[in-house]
Amino acid sequence: MARIHHATLALGLLVALGAACDRSRAPEPEVVPPASPPANPSGAPSVAAPAASLSTKLRRAAPDRVVAIGDVHGDLDTFERALRLAGAIDARGHWSGGTLVLVQTGDEIDRGNDDRAVLDLVEGLKKEAAAAGGEVIALLGNHEIMNASADFRYVTPRGFASFSPAGASSLPAADTAAPTRGRMQAFAPGGTYASMLAGRPLVAEVGDTVFVHGGVLPKHVAYGLDRMNDELDAWLTGKRQTPPSIVVADDGPVWTRAYSGEDAAPDCSALTKTLARLGAARMVVGHTVQKEGMNAACDGKVWRIDVGLSHVYGGPVEALEIRGDHATVLREEAGAPKP
């Protein structure tokens, strides 16, 4: 359980970060660009900058099969259906994916009622997958960061109650603040669930595919993805007073819609530059509901996989399967995955 000053800190952060959550622009962080190669006196073409080096926390070797699932938003039932569609769990909810690498691109919580159950399921599957030679990679989304900032505007009453000390059934009728306190203590920096979230990467590169909630821009690579990730971890564990401003800015990696917005063309130029710096072939993003289901843009360089999976949106149950250079949308139809 978080100490009282952590809960107080979280309340303070609500004021400081309210603008970011409302999407007014946060101050731009200082971005230190990579050093330029020395001038070539011969006039020959300059050598391209080497691919950005990522730590093992953010980068994985290519597995035989990767499946990605987008925003869950507190809906355990549809999440489990998506996991079965992916071949990740059996009928009892236990790992059955063998060496499968499963990536969930953030926003597991808010809007639905099953926040805690979804988070706990993922943590359990991580252990079961590792024992079977597979892996579950759960990324951070803007809603995980909002909760750690004490921004609970999208939390349902049952979402609050599940974090109360004894659960909703035994709460005194007059003690309406108890569920709020329980969730705040759990998600306040240094709290049990905030510390658990600190173990989740902001970005993951699996083989030649980059996974992120909103998107990775060239400025993020220049700042340093590992640096950004480490600073966010330090905040979630209570070792830093505020999250890195580059993360919570309007164009931060959990907020940007540069590649996923349906009302404007994706920024394919920025995407191409980012992928080149990361030595990757494609990016997979969530965050923005795709009304027509999962789809690719920029000649297949970006896949948008937030399909409104939660019953709150009523979208289809879909998952993205990647084998080598081929990406395939799996879709639940009449209780069976689409080939």
Side-chain angles (χ1 to χ4, degrees):
M1 181 175 294
R3 296 191 297 273
I4 296 302
H5 76 272
H6 283 144
T8 304
L9 173 61
L11 281 171
L13 286 174
L14 173 58
V15 176
L17 293 176
C21 296
D22 287 334
R23 309 327 319 137
S24 59
R25 181 166 296 280
E28 290 291 333
E30 179 182 0
V31 176
V32 181
S36 300
N40 189 334
S42 68
S46 59
V47 178
S53 177
L54 301 180
S55 71
T56 54
K57 181 172 183 178
L58 303 189
R59 175 168 280 167
R60 304 287 191 279
D64 292 334
R65 181 172 180 257
V66 183
V67 176
I69 296 173
D71 302 37
V72 176
H73 282 302
D75 191 327
L76 182 64
D77 175 67
T78 55
F79 184 38
E80 289 183 329
R81 285 160 58 192
L83 289 168
R84 287 192 290 271
L85 176 68
I89 64 171
D90 59 24
R92 298 178 300 162
H94 292 291
W95 183 259
S96 61
T99 59
L100 167 70
V101 173
L102 176 77
V103 182
Q104 197 286 314
T105 55
D107 277 10
E108 292 179 9
I109 59 176
D110 282 351
R111 303 187 188 277
N113 293 324
D114 307 323
D115 291 355
R116 187 167 189 170
V118 169
L119 291 169
D120 290 349
L121 172 63
V122 170
E123 291 304 302
L125 290 177
K126 283 184 181 181
K127 298 175 183 178
E128 293 181 7
E135 186 174 13
V136 173
I137 302 172
L139 302 182
L140 293 170
N142 59 300
H143 281 266
E144 282 80 22
I145 292 173
M146 288 169 68
N147 273 252
S149 305
D151 184 342
F152 299 139
R153 75 182 79 174
Y154 298 107
V155 180
T156 68
R158 284 174 57 187
F160 275 122
S162 64
F163 286 92
S164 66
S169 61
S170 61
L171 287 177
D175 192 5
T176 57
T180 305
R181 287 200 306 271
R183 189 167 182 124
M184 180 175 290
Q185 290 171 339
F187 282 96
T192 52
Y193 277 79
S195 297
M196 177 267 287
L197 292 175
R200 300 186 173 191
L202 189 63
V203 179
E205 185 170 352
V206 182
D208 60 359
T209 302
V210 176
F211 298 88
V212 61
H213 183 66
V216 179
L217 304 176
K219 64 183 289 183
H220 302 149
V221 182
Y223 186 89
L225 299 184
D226 276 293
R227 172 187 173 189
M228 195 184 304
N229 201 84
D230 291 345
E231 290 172 352
L232 192 61
D233 285 357
W235 170 63
L236 288 169
T237 54
K239 300 174 184 176
R240 173 187 167 111
Q241 290 190 342
T242 60
S245 57
I246 194 170
V247 173
V248 297
D250 285 354
D251 59 358
V254 298
W255 281 109
T256 183
R257 303 184 196 274
Y259 310 135
S260 61
E262 291 192 307
D263 297 329
D267 190 344
C268 297
S269 176
L271 175 65
T272 299
K273 292 176 183 176
T274 300
L275 292 176
R277 285 289 289 123
L278 294 173
R282 70 189 64 82
M283 191 177 296
V284 175
V285 302
H287 188 45
T288 305
V289 176
Q290 305 295 307
K291 297 182 179 65
E292 303 302 321
M294 292 185 181
N295 64 87
C298 301
D299 297 323
K301 291 180 181 178
V302 61
W303 277 89
R304 290 88 71 90
I305 68 167
D306 179 2
V307 295
L309 183 68
S310 172
H311 73 279
V312 174
Y313 296 102
V317 176
E318 292 186 346
L320 182 70
E321 178 185 68
I322 300 174
R323 292 178 181 264
D325 293 331
H326 301 286
T328 304
V329 176
L330 308 176
R331 183 167 187 171
E332 181 186 78
E333 291 187 0
K338 183 178 179 179

